[in-house]
Amino acid sequence: MDMRRIVAVLAEEAEQQIQDQVWQVEPGDRALALKAEAGLRDAVGPADVQETLPEIKRLEHLRETLAVLAVSLARTHGRLAWFLSGALNALEPVLRWRALPADRSGTFGTVLPSPDEYTEAEDAVRRLQDVMAQISKVTTTIRPGPESTERE
């Protein structure tokens, strides 16, 4: 499964959990999601901008997104942490990418990604940006509890 698809599945699950009120988004989650969304947008911009950058810059920006997600993960628990963990896992291939050609020595298992792989990862990050923005805007609605049926 590619990065875009993994992130799409994560996004759908998050949206469903929020809609079903399984995930009660707390004010701290909203604030952290807003900060993460801003960090992701600072790192990876619109497709027309990213695609004009040299590969080394594109890789740098993708690595920055991993840092934003990792720092955010370190600052939360519960469903937001689980979501961020899934996002990091989806983008894990970026950790093995390199932008520079190798000489005759080893590359520590790194690979040169294709232009399509850069685009796929950047698209996944943009989807994450959108989800984080949605999470930051969730207002908590308290469900009414079951009415008491006890009689005196």
Side-chain angles (χ1 to χ4, degrees):
M1 195 179 301
D2 73 19
M3 287 179 253
R4 279 183 289 236
R5 182 70 191 130
I6 295 169
V7 168
V9 169
L10 287 170
E12 290 166 11
E13 183 176 355
E15 291 161 354
Q16 190 64 52
Q17 286 188 18
I18 291 168
Q19 179 182 334
D20 294 346
Q21 296 184 1
V22 171
W23 181 355
Q24 296 291 321
V25 180
E26 301 294 326
D29 288 345
R30 288 193 301 272
L32 186 60
L34 183 62
K35 188 172 183 175
E37 184 263 340
L40 293 173
R41 284 203 196 279
D42 285 347
V44 172
D48 60 336
V49 173
Q50 287 299 127
E51 291 173 3
T52 63
L53 298 174
E55 288 181 353
I56 197 163
K57 281 305 221 182
R58 290 177 82 177
L59 181 55
E60 179 183 309
H61 291 190
L62 287 167
R63 288 177 177 162
E64 285 177 23
T65 67
L66 294 171
V68 167
L69 293 169
V71 168
S72 298
L73 174 61
R75 294 183 175 156
T76 192
H77 302 282
R79 294 189 189 276
L80 182 56
W82 304 340
F83 175 80
L84 292 168
S85 178
L88 280 160
N89 189 54
L91 294 172
E92 182 270 336
V94 172
L95 294 172
R96 293 187 308 275
W97 292 358
R98 61 183 162 84
L100 301 174
D103 55 16
R104 294 181 184 215
S105 61
T107 62
F108 302 99
T110 60
V111 297
L112 290 169
S114 70
D116 287 343
E117 288 173 308
Y118 280 110
T119 300
E120 175 188 331
E122 291 161 349
D123 287 347
V125 170
R126 285 186 203 93
R127 182 67 172 108
L128 288 170
Q129 293 167 356
D130 294 342
V131 174
M132 298 309 284
Q134 290 172 5
I135 292 169
S136 74
K137 295 174 184 167
V138 171
T139 57
T140 305
T141 305
I142 299 174
R143 281 186 180 173
E147 294 181 7
S148 174
T149 58
E150 292 180 16
R151 297 176 187 232
E152 294 183 323

